[in-house]
Amino acid sequence: MCDITDGCYFVSISCDDENACTVDWCEEENGCMNEPLDCDDYNVCTDDYCDESVECDNGCYYILANVDDYNACTKDSCDSETGVTHTFINCDDEDECTDDSCDLKDGCFHTDIECNDYNACTDDTCDSDVGCVNVPYDEDYCDDGSECTVDYCDPNEGCLSEKIQCNDESECTDDWCDCDTGCVFDPVDCNDYSECTIDTCDDSEGCQYKPVICDDENLCTVDICDPETGCKFTRVECHDGSKCFHSCDPSVGCTDGKITCNDLDLCTDDSCDDELGCTFTPVDCDDYDECTKDDCHAECGCQHLPISCDDYDECTDDECDSTEGCLHTITNCDDDNQCTTDDCSEYDGCTNVWDVDCDDYDECTDDDCHPDVGCINTPIECDDYDSCTIDECDETEGCLNTPVDCDDYDHCTLDSCVSGKCVHEDKCPSLDCLDSSCDVESGDCKYTPVLCVD
């Protein structure tokens, strides 16, 4: 271009086509050049495109490619060199009690495995480390707590209990079962409550009742059996007016003559009364001794047995007086020992415990106990045989041996005790060729050479 004032001038032309997707420049020979922009980033993991409308020099866009294969069982990724990969994920939860699988939509899922071994006699569980565990139940698992059953486990039906048969094959027992103790065989009661039978039991036939034979082989008695009292032998009456005549001989029966009244019982006086017949008066066995028990035995007669006066009390002396009977005198437990506490227990008798406390809580006495006089509190000897101590005794602390105080309160003497006497030696004695002096305030010695003038 040319300006009338300035002359020629040159204005650069603009080659910008306002398209962000072109590279714009100018060549001297060809003029403006607008070459399409290359947006390829050489990355297979991006979608490359260019937007013409953006107000910038570079309209390239790089959007990460969608690598999702919509399969929840793969891990989707992209490598700029190798491209998209879909790797199957590992669904193993390291739990031996699950079946691990994958669903295309939902991904991994873990289903509990079935550990039932279909054996009713095992405890079926699962251990995360080893998987199914089928442990047989112990022997007590099926125990129903009854001693009347045999308990066991059947693989198909589980715990079963069969009743035991309590039969000892004896007709002399009632057989049954106690849940706590098992079979019980109670003896059958064959008692027919008749004194006229001997009741026994046979294992094969059961209760047997054998009649009692009431024959005393005495023709002077009528022999019968009473179910309540047993055999009865009623004497035959042979009298004809006086009941003391016409006796009876067991071998032949009634005979003439005076009857003998003897009941073979030494506890009766036997006599005969014409109207009453034989009379048997009880013997008086009282010996008028309070120390005997008077009794009578049909075969031995009167018995006078010493009675026991033992009151089972170890604290009494038991004796018997023929007039007063049993006497229980309190036992004297005094052992004449002043050092014991005397007591008595009805079970153990006298006790003499050496437990007298003679402690007078005085450290100046030796405390002891003498059986004859009791506590003795003897003053102790505090003499330490040192004439340079004051010997005394304190009730609380005991012996005190206090050194004699020989201090003359003179700083220039050495104070001590010798054989019970205080000695005060010069602290600063003169030495050869030295005169000594002592400071009464501090007790310090001062030595001055002797001036030897001849």
Side-chain angles (χ1 to χ4, degrees), residues 403-409 415-418 421-424:
V404 172
D405 184 6
C406 288
D407 189 355
D408 59 0
Y409 303 101
D415 307 323
S416 62
C417 182
V418 178
K421 293 182 179 181
C422 287
V423 177
H424 310 287

Side-chain angles (χ1 to χ4, degrees), residues 204-249:
S204 300
E205 300 181 12
C207 289
Q208 305 291 307
Y209 304 100
K210 183 179 179 180
V212 172
I213 306 300
C214 289
D215 184 3
D216 62 356
E217 297 182 355
N218 185 345
L219 295 179
C220 294
T221 59
V222 177
D223 306 333
I224 61 172
C225 188
D226 184 311
E228 293 185 359
T229 60
C231 288
K232 282 188 173 183
F233 307 103
T234 306
R235 190 175 184 85
V236 173
E237 295 294 339
C238 294
H239 62 84
D240 58 356
S242 172
K243 291 187 177 181
C244 293
F245 291 90
H246 294 296
S247 62
C248 188
D249 187 314

Side-chain angles (χ1 to χ4, degrees), residues 143-156:
D143 188 354
D144 61 1
S146 173
E147 294 296 324
C148 295
T149 57
V150 177
D151 308 317
Y152 63 96
C153 191
D154 180 82
N156 296 319

